[in-house]
Amino acid sequence: MTRPAASTSCFLGALLLLGSTVVHAEADAVPGDLPALSAASDHASVVGVSSGGYMAAQLAVAWPERFSGVGVLAAGPWSCAQGALSLALNQCMSTRRGLPSLDELDRRRERYESLEQVGERDALSQLRAYVWHGDEDDTVSPELGSLLAEQWQRWLASSEQLRFVRSENTGHGWPIKLPKQANASPQALGDCRQGGGSHVLACDENVAGDMLSWIYPEREANASEGEVMAFDQSEFAVKGLADVGYLFIPGACEAGGCPVTIALHGCQMSVDAIGDTFVRHSGLNRWAADHGQVVLYPQAESSMANPQGCWDWWGFAESTWQLNPLHDTRDGTQARALMAMLEHLQSTP
């Protein structure tokens, strides 16, 4: 999440270079439908940064039985905003109004559970969780990252299911370790503190590999090349979703059976805002190609209600008549759309 700024429009070709794969970019290609891949119905994961981190936690809490792990970068506790933009700004990014109460948020989750609007505590306790935060983050206070780790520690069956990383001299964003052959512009990538224009941090820190290796500790290598394809998101159209999303499919996964990782960008980190920088350089695809993992990159869009193109972690995508927006439940507008994408990937062609 960053302070408001205008996003620039750019379009990612249908197929892109990732890691050791071959470029088949077609600037004028029309995105096709999201394919049914017979992806594994178990061992899915959801990861995200900033607003995408908040949304990743919302999905994991809403449907813990559908995931084996969750990864959250540069975000605070689940449901921190409680449907209020004022809390989002003053207690979940800065802490001008103090830190959120984990006891209060626990009661919120328990109330949702009693109404069957989130998953059961037993299922939640079985997840593996990865939490990362930069010590120099001036957008989301590092204290909130520590509080998020404490929240997950309350929920998990064992402390051994949680990995919490605080990176010194690192700001707000997604740290990466670029391969030697990568050709990324200095405008797209920033140093560890600033993040350039993309919030993808060239820190020589492979957070993606560390995170997925934590979520899947016994995963064997199954190296293959892969491609990124654009797909039409209109089938899943809800408030706040862009027209086009992206999907990384290793060759080893074309026949089905691979798990899916949902990867959620942060504010001002969509393809419309920063081009292919996050989709191409996050490091997720490199790990996925080496281990047989499908990576789904849904895309949010900017609007009057959401000028930075964030995922809905404070309720803007819900009906205005709702006294308590249900964005952080199974009834959340964007949450349902994202889960529909996962279910489609897991369906049989």
Side-chain angles (χ1 to χ4, degrees):
M1 282 156 285
T2 58
R3 301 295 181 257
S7 63
T8 57
S9 176
C10 56
F11 180 64
L12 179 64
L15 299 174
L16 304 169
L17 173 68
L18 276 132
S20 60
T21 61
V22 179
V23 179
H24 298 287
E26 300 177 18
D28 298 325
V30 177
D33 294 336
L34 183 68
L37 290 179
S38 294
S41 59
D42 55 358
H43 302 303
S45 56
V46 58
V47 303
V49 56
S50 193
S51 72
Y54 275 114
M55 177 59 81
Q58 288 173 188
L59 291 184
V61 172
W63 285 279
E65 69 278 3
R66 301 293 302 277
F67 296 103
S68 60
V70 57
V72 179
L73 281 67
W78 167 84
S79 198
C80 183
Q82 301 185 62
L85 180 58
S86 61
L87 285 180
L89 296 173
N90 297 304
Q91 198 170 54
C92 306
M93 294 175 65
S94 74
T95 55
R96 284 188 291 268
R97 291 179 59 175
L99 291 172
S101 165
L102 293 186
D103 290 339
E104 182 178 356
L105 297 180
D106 277 346
R107 289 191 292 271
R108 183 180 180 89
R109 195 208 63 79
E110 290 166 1
R111 183 173 70 254
Y112 282 154
E113 183 180 354
S114 70
L115 298 171
E116 298 184 349
Q117 292 176 321
V118 299
E120 295 181 357
R121 175 67 180 268
D122 286 348
L124 187 65
S125 72
Q126 300 307 307
L127 296 179
R128 292 181 69 82
Y130 184 97
V131 175
W132 178 94
H133 216 105
D135 277 344
E136 300 297 325
D137 191 331
D138 59 4
T139 301
V140 177
S141 169
E143 291 178 281
L144 292 164
S146 298
L147 203 60
L148 170 65
E150 182 182 339
Q151 184 181 57
W152 277 101
Q153 192 62 77
R154 289 186 176 198
W155 293 340
L156 299 176
S158 167
S159 61
E160 296 180 357
Q161 294 164 238
L162 173 69
R163 177 166 168 75
F164 176 39
V165 179
R166 284 275 294 262
S167 290
E168 295 181 357
N169 302 316
T170 306
H172 185 74
W174 181 290
I176 63 168
K177 183 175 184 177
L178 280 173
K180 293 181 180 179
Q181 69 270 25
N183 183 22
S185 73
Q187 289 75 30
L189 302 179
D191 62 23
C192 284
R193 294 197 182 199
Q194 298 300 322
S198 67
H199 304 287
V200 177
L201 312 176
C203 294
D204 200 32
E205 184 177 358
N206 183 16
V207 165
D210 187 40
M211 175 168 56
L212 291 181
S213 294
W214 175 259
I215 293 174
Y216 302 103
E218 299 178 359
R219 193 68 169 276
E220 295 181 359
N222 186 23
S224 67
E225 293 185 346
E227 293 177 332
V228 167
M229 61 170 287
F231 69 91
D232 184 356
Q233 286 192 159
S234 62
E235 178 182 351
F236 312 94
V238 296
K239 186 175 181 179
L241 256 66
D243 293 334
V244 179
Y246 300 86
L247 181 69
F248 176 70
I249 310 174
C253 298
E254 292 176 358
C258 291
V260 177
T261 292
I262 303 173
L264 301 170
H265 62 73
C267 302
Q268 294 185 317
M269 290 180 67
S270 70
V271 167
D272 282 345
I274 64 170
D276 65 357
T277 302
F278 179 66
V279 172
R280 187 176 194 176
H281 295 301
S282 68
L284 294 170
N285 303 322
R286 197 174 312 124
W287 192 96
D290 288 343
H291 296 86
Q293 188 87 2
V294 174
V295 185
L296 174 67
Y297 293 95
Q299 297 291 299
E301 68 174 358
S302 299
S303 66
M304 289 288 290
N306 178 33
Q308 297 183 37
C310 306
W311 291 103
D312 185 13
W313 62 283
W314 71 90
F316 76 84
E318 305 302 317
S319 298
T320 55
W321 57 263
Q322 290 179 334
L323 294 177
N324 297 299
L326 299 177
H327 62 287
D328 51 356
T329 73
R330 292 180 174 181
D331 296 321
T333 298
Q334 291 189 358
R336 288 200 311 267
L338 293 171
M339 292 303 294
M341 292 183 194
L342 175 63
E343 290 168 2
H344 190 85
L345 289 171
Q346 293 171 342
S347 66
T348 302

